[in-house]
């Protein structure tokens, strides 16, 4: 990678990559022990790295336009926490992590809900595991990357993003059971069905994301506790009448119905009935808007405009309060639907959205 050579004046030992992701369906279900169905984007984060002989880590990021150096004695703030968190969690897990010099670059948009944070953690984790020859099975890696983000960077995210960045497969969506961490790679060939997945980055400014995310998580835990269940994964719609708080009932209803929509989507995809997942996507959006209350005017506008322009289904993807929308559209219609969303945004005085067509790519790998 040319940036590594520019920064360090030598060739790296290797280059590793991990992708961003969109979640086809299953939002805020991961930390409720439920089901998710993300796929990896072609956009990815690259880490070029070389081993050094001392326990120090130097990281330059093109996106941060900054170089940082840390050792084991300090707690790293800012973007470096996503890298230092990986070093920390690997050591906590008992691994002898090699010191390294790294150069990072990415075409995953930062903070757009496409999980650039997990792409960074996962690319760094994969690089360090290879550089150090660490005996670390792939199916154990997402949990470690998640802990780096939860316990070091301080974002209480679930297991979906890191699982997608590490375990996704080209041409497939990743059906993940977040309780058992069992995965099934579900063929997701939209082109063969004459369709395309249009992603629209709404560019909506994120509003209180971390606080609101944590509040939803707490509400779900509270609902499960009141229901006497280990997690909302185990709850039924019938049981919700025993919850006194209308707000908790709505939050729990989103999770219960969303888990079912993931299962229904998987069943349709297994049967090759791709077009029919559209209504489930749209129902997922309504549930996020009305029951979970995590959408904002920009994402609601994008979904409505895409549906009016003929999309088979559309929904916000990611944690909410901004971010991206995805729409299932006829293959020849992507430009027209994107233009309809752009014009609805212009009408409402929102910043211009950024559309792209998403094709499922591979998970983390060494290039
Ligand atoms: P998302 O994961 O949806 O993109 P997050 O807020 O979870 O949004 O993560 C974005 C943060 O991750 C950035 O603000 C930055 O701190 C860090 N990050 C991600 N990619 C990079 C990168 N290539 N270089 C530096 N920091 C990055
Ligand atoms: Mg993130």
């Amino acid at each position: 990678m040319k940036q590594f050579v520019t920064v360090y004046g030598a060739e790296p030992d290797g280059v590793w990559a991990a992708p961003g992701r969109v979640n086809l369906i299953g939002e805020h279900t991961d930390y409720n022990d439920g089901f998710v169905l993300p796929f990896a984007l072609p956009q990815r984060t690259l880490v070029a790295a070389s081993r050094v002989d001392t326990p120090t880590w130097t990281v330059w990021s093109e996106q941060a336009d900054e170089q940082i150096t840390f050792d084991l004695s300090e707690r790293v703030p800012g973007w470096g926490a996503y890298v230092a968190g990986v070093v920390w969690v690997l050591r906590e897990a008992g691994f002898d992590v090699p010191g390294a010099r790294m150069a990072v670059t990415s075409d995953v948009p930062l903070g757009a809900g496409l999980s650039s944070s997990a792409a960074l953690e996962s690319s760094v984790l994969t690089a360090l595991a290879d550089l150090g020859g660490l005996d670390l099975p792939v199916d154990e890696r997402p949990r470690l990357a998640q802990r780096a983000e939860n316990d070091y960077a301080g974002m209480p995210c679930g297991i979906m993003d890191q699982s997608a960045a590490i375990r996704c497969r080209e041409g497939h969506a990743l059906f993940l059971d977040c309780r058992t961490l069992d995965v099934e790679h579900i063929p997701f060939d939209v082109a063969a069905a004459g369709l395309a997945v249009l992603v629209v980055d709404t560019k909506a400014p994120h509003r209180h994301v971390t606080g609101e995310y944590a509040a939803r998580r707490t509400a779900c835990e509270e609902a499960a506790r009141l229901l006497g269940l280990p997690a909302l994964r185990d709850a039924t719609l019938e049981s919700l009448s025993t919850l006194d708080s209308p707000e908790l009932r709505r939050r729990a209803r989103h999770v219960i119905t969303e888990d079912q929509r993931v299962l229904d989507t998987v069943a349709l995809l297994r049967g090759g009935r791709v077009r029919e997942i559209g209504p489930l996507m749209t129902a997922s959006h309504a549930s996020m808007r009305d029951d979970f209350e995590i959408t904002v005017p920009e994402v609601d506008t994008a979904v409505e405009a895409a549906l009016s322009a003929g999309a088979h289904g559309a929904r916000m993807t990611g944690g909410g309060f901004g971010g991206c929308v995805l729409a299932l559209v006829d293959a020849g219609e992507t430009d027209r639907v994107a233009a309809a969303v752009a014009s609805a945004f212009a009408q409402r005085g929102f910043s211009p959205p950024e559309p792209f067509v998403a094709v499922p790519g591979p998970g983390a790998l060494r290039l």
Side-chain angles (χ1 to χ4, degrees):
M1 191 164 92
K2 67 177 189 308
Q3 293 95 328
F4 187 95
V5 179
T6 308
V7 174
Y8 299 110
E11 289 291 336
D13 292 347
V15 182
W16 290 261
R21 61 98 189 94
V22 286
N23 188 21
L24 191 52
I25 198 158
E27 222 64 75
H28 285 261
T29 46
D30 59 352
Y31 57 78
N32 288 299
D33 274 4
F35 306 106
V36 294
L37 191 61
F39 66 86
L41 291 171
Q43 289 94 327
R44 57 192 187 173
T45 297
L46 301 183
V47 177
S50 282
R51 227 186 132 117
V52 301
D53 290 333
T54 53
T56 57
W57 293 266
T58 302
V59 194
W60 170 86
S61 158
E62 181 156 32
Q63 284 63 49
D65 190 22
E66 190 183 13
Q67 179 173 307
I68 57 166
T69 298
F70 61 91
D71 60 26
L72 297 169
S73 68
E74 55 202 307
R75 196 169 180 95
V76 179
W79 68 272
Y82 294 94
V83 179
V86 170
V87 172
W88 170 80
V89 79
L90 286 171
R91 286 184 52 88
E92 285 281 299
F95 291 105
D96 187 12
V97 190
R101 302 195 293 196
M102 295 177 252
V104 175
T105 188
S106 182
D107 61 354
V108 183
L110 271 57
L114 300 176
S115 208
S116 69
S117 58
L120 178 55
E121 293 145 10
S122 304
S123 54
V124 167
L125 188 141
T126 309
L128 292 176
D130 280 0
L131 280 180
L134 308 185
D135 181 17
L136 181 51
V138 167
D139 59 356
E140 289 172 21
R141 295 179 183 196
R143 199 52 101 190
L144 294 176
Q146 181 201 12
R147 275 192 63 207
E149 182 148 350
N150 288 171
D151 298 345
Y152 196 99
M155 169 63 187
C157 60
I159 189 76
M160 171 171 68
D161 296 350
Q162 294 78 12
S163 299
I166 291 169
R167 303 187 72 181
C168 276
R169 198 176 275 176
E170 196 166 0
H172 293 74
L174 183 80
F175 176 36
L176 172 68
D177 180 331
C178 299
R179 171 167 279 166
T180 63
L181 298 188
D182 287 342
V183 303
E184 184 184 338
H185 299 279
I186 307 290
F188 187 54
D189 187 351
V190 283
L195 299 168
V197 176
L198 177 69
V199 180
V200 181
D201 181 353
T202 66
K203 301 274 182 169
H206 274 52
R207 304 166 178 103
H208 320 296
V209 191
T210 307
E212 292 284 358
Y213 188 99
R216 294 305 178 285
R217 196 171 171 149
T218 304
C220 290
E221 282 159 9
E222 175 71 357
R225 192 184 61 78
L226 290 169
L227 292 169
L229 299 168
L232 286 180
R233 152 79 170 267
D234 307 299
T236 60
L237 285 177
E238 296 69 48
S239 68
L240 294 187
S241 56
T242 64
L243 293 175
D244 290 331
S245 155
E247 182 179 308
L248 280 192
R249 279 205 298 273
R250 286 201 306 278
R251 301 292 187 255
R253 186 167 61 190
H254 165 73
V255 174
I256 296 166
T257 57
E258 186 77 350
D259 271 336
Q260 189 58 48
R261 282 185 289 269
V262 176
L263 298 177
D264 293 346
T265 301
V266 167
L268 287 170
L269 291 180
R270 281 200 194 107
R273 295 158 64 183
V274 183
R275 188 175 303 250
E276 290 170 59
I277 73 172
L280 292 166
M281 295 168 65
T282 306
S284 167
H285 187 78
S287 178
M288 290 190 282
R289 182 190 60 214
D290 303 334
D291 278 351
F292 221 59
E293 298 178 275
I294 54 171
T295 69
V296 292
E298 289 87 343
V299 302
D300 291 335
T301 299
V303 165
E304 282 154 29
L307 292 171
S308 300
H312 301 290
R315 63 183 292 275
M316 182 186 78
T317 182
F321 308 99
C324 291
V325 159
L326 56 90
L328 185 69
V329 302
D330 287 332
E333 294 284 285
T334 52
D335 288 350
R336 207 178 55 75
V337 175
V341 174
S343 124
F345 270 46
Q347 230 160 50
R348 300 202 52 178
F350 300 152
S351 309
E354 211 158 282
F356 63 91
V357 173
V359 179
L365 47 82
R366 182 175 190 155
L367 298 182

